[in-house]
Amino acid sequence: MERRRFLGMAATGLAGATGMTALSGCGDGSGSGKVTLKLVAADYGDPGGNNSSQTYWESLADAFTKKNPDISVDVAVHSWSEVDKKVADMVAADEPPDVAQIGAYADYASQGRLYKVSELLSIPVQADFLVRLAEAGEVQRVQYGLPFVSSTRLLFYNKNLFSDAGLDPESPPETWEELKAAALALKKAGVEIPYGLPLGPEEAPAETMMWMLSGGGSYVDNVGNYTINSAANVRTFTWIRDNLVTPGFTGTNPARTDRQELFDAFGRGDVGMLNGHPTLMQQAERRSVSYGTGKIPGKGGPSESNLGVADWMMAFRANGNREQAGKFLDFVYRETNHYAFASRYDLMPVTTSATTRMREDRRHKKLWRFLDQLDTAQFYPVGKVSWAGTSAAIKKNVGEAVTRGGDPKSVLNGLQRKAEAEEKATSSPSK
């Protein structure tokens, strides 16, 4: 499904197709009259903490307006648990924001509500995006979604618990069998949750895809057809059921266990191993947990593919502020501004320039292992309009595949039927 090409060439072609000789970011004016852009964004700060993203966006908006006095930006930041619904409600009320930074874009693109990226950004900014992330923002080969920040995953493990269980604290498991053996040793040592398996609603699509990739499967094949019930995926979930859940190595019912619940337990020292993204490092370090990281274990060795996740920005057509929104987005993705956000929250940039800077910044050395995996990362099929409904079904049902007495083949068959029905029901996006 992933297609490699030179983004700069593609961007140039798109610009020519739209008949634009200079995109908005290259202009020297803000359009006619005073315009206030409405921005809705997600909060990446810690729950209850003092590092809300509101502060970042307000500071950035003020700096932008100083350079563009005819354009102001009204900022509204919401938690991840509510931001997608806030935007959906605004769209339903025919009052969409000009710019949104949320979790998904394909539904809005399919409804013809979004500007194409080629209508918004200057060509140098378009060409600066990491290719795999830019491609993940496409619907039928046209880019509507702007990646904002990204992450990959690593296996996290508690070094002290490994030592207590007689395991080498510098040698995390690399295969499923090694993972099983480590979980057994941790359980015998009295660890409450030897392996954290969050297949509850919060993290199910990510944890599911990590396991699929580690077993040689995925959600879709190379041409985008759903393969949820492939033989490889059925074998993977059968192995999880029989070798992790049934022996009691997960400590909890995976179908009812959310990611944050396990992240919190890891910080308390109650979890031996789990898959995690970069923000888990911050949580562990605040709680003085001695942790290590390793590649995701695979069936016969470290997983060759890794889950990549991106959050998205988009600009809505409804208010007609294409040029102003484009100017603002060009400003958002300037190397200094984009790097400031990624660095603030220990997240991975989505542009080549900011990624290069992070690789040179030793303060973020612990992030380099995550960055190194982007070249082989695979992303959710977010460009498929059917993914929203499919993802919702995965959140609700996939955990039942690995419960004691569960039937992985039956559950995955049901999810496959749901995905195919969603695919059939969704219409082609507006061009």
Side-chain angles (χ1 to χ4, degrees):
M1 187 176 182
E2 302 282 353
R3 298 180 306 280
R4 287 187 174 274
R5 68 179 188 280
F6 292 104
L7 181 58
M9 295 174 61
T12 303
L14 286 170
T18 57
M20 299 169 66
T21 58
L23 295 177
S24 60
C26 299
D28 59 0
S30 61
S32 57
K34 179 75 172 179
V35 169
T36 298
L37 297 174
K38 292 184 289 185
L39 166 69
V40 175
D43 194 352
Y44 289 79
D46 298 328
N50 59 1
N51 62 339
S52 170
S53 300
Q54 183 85 26
T55 303
Y56 169 85
W57 284 113
E58 288 179 348
S59 176
L60 189 73
D62 289 344
F64 173 75
T65 299
K66 286 181 180 179
K67 293 180 176 293
N68 301 272
D70 291 333
I71 312 173
S72 60
V73 183
D74 179 31
V75 176
V77 170
H78 302 281
S79 70
W80 270 111
S81 63
E82 61 181 7
V83 67
D84 289 312
K85 186 177 186 303
K86 289 283 186 183
V87 172
D89 289 345
M90 294 172 73
V91 171
D94 291 325
E95 297 178 349
D98 294 285
V99 178
Q101 186 270 299
I102 52 178
Y105 64 87
D107 277 356
Y108 299 127
S110 73
Q111 297 163 14
R113 297 181 182 274
L114 302 181
Y115 287 114
K116 301 173 186 177
V117 171
S118 60
E119 297 176 293
L120 295 165
L121 298 183
S122 60
I123 289 176
V125 174
Q126 290 183 68
D128 197 24
F129 286 113
L130 297 171
V131 174
R132 293 182 78 85
L133 288 166
E135 291 175 346
E138 294 177 353
V139 175
Q140 294 193 354
R141 297 179 181 266
V142 178
Q143 188 181 357
Y144 296 91
L146 293 159
F148 181 59
V149 289
S150 64
S151 68
T152 59
R153 301 294 199 266
L154 290 172
L155 178 74
F156 282 70
Y157 65 99
N158 186 310
K159 289 187 174 183
N160 289 336
L161 295 181
F162 262 49
S163 295
D164 293 343
L167 299 167
D168 184 348
E170 303 303 326
S171 298
E174 296 186 340
T175 68
W176 289 356
E177 288 304 317
E178 290 176 2
L179 182 73
K180 175 184 176 181
L184 174 60
L186 290 164
K187 184 176 177 63
K188 288 182 176 179
V191 175
E192 182 177 339
I193 304 174
Y195 180 81
L197 185 65
L199 290 175
E202 180 188 7
E203 182 73 348
E207 188 74 16
T208 295
M209 187 166 175
M210 281 183 276
W211 276 99
M212 286 180 170
L213 292 171
S214 73
S218 191
Y219 284 126
V220 296
D221 61 20
N222 290 332
V223 293
N225 297 315
Y226 281 108
T227 56
I228 295 172
N229 65 342
S230 69
N233 291 340
V234 172
R235 286 194 298 269
T236 294
F237 278 79
T238 301
W239 189 92
I240 298 171
R241 180 197 64 189
D242 294 344
N243 294 275
L244 293 179
V245 180
T246 299
F249 296 157
T250 60
T252 62
N253 178 358
R256 303 290 180 264
T257 304
D258 284 336
R259 173 188 62 186
Q260 192 57 53
E261 176 185 344
L262 290 176
F263 277 19
D264 292 343
F266 189 77
R268 295 192 303 268
D270 295 335
V271 177
M273 303 174 288
L274 77 169
N275 296 330
H277 52 65
T279 57
L280 182 55
M281 295 190 301
Q282 292 183 343
Q283 288 188 235
E285 288 164 3
R286 281 196 300 271
R287 301 293 293 272
S288 299
V289 174
S290 177
Y291 71 92
T293 59
K295 289 188 175 182
I296 303 296
K299 185 177 180 181
S303 181
E304 295 181 0
S305 297
N306 194 279
L307 170 67
V309 176
D311 300 326
W312 300 96
M313 294 200 79
M314 61 215 70
F316 286 85
R317 292 180 173 274
N319 300 320
N321 294 326
R322 178 192 63 80
E323 184 177 356
Q324 293 86 352
K327 279 181 172 287
F328 178 64
L329 287 167
D330 259 17
F331 190 73
V332 167
Y333 285 101
R334 284 188 183 180
E335 189 258 9
T336 52
N337 296 332
H338 181 50
Y339 184 76
F341 189 93
S343 178
R344 178 187 181 110
Y345 294 107
D346 273 346
L347 293 165
M348 293 158 53
V350 299
T351 64
T352 299
S353 59
T355 298
T356 298
R357 180 172 173 180
M358 183 165 279
R359 288 187 184 279
E360 296 172 349
D361 188 342
R362 296 195 66 82
R363 293 176 302 169
H364 293 296
K365 186 176 180 179
K366 291 181 179 179
L367 281 173
W368 294 351
R369 292 192 72 179
F370 293 94
L371 285 170
D372 289 343
Q373 296 186 132
L374 269 180
D375 287 342
T376 57
Q378 294 191 32
F379 294 84
Y380 298 139
V382 290
K384 297 169 75 68
V385 181
S386 59
W387 174 245
T390 301
S391 178
I394 291 167
K395 291 179 179 181
K396 182 178 180 181
N397 298 311
V398 75
E400 299 302 324
V402 299
T403 56
R404 294 180 183 180
D407 185 344
K409 186 173 183 178
S410 176
V411 172
L412 295 182
N413 279 342
L415 291 171
Q416 178 75 17
R417 289 193 296 270
K418 172 65 175 176
E420 291 173 349
E422 290 284 337
E423 184 79 352
K424 185 176 181 180
T426 52
S427 59
S428 299
S430 301
K431 293 288 186 180

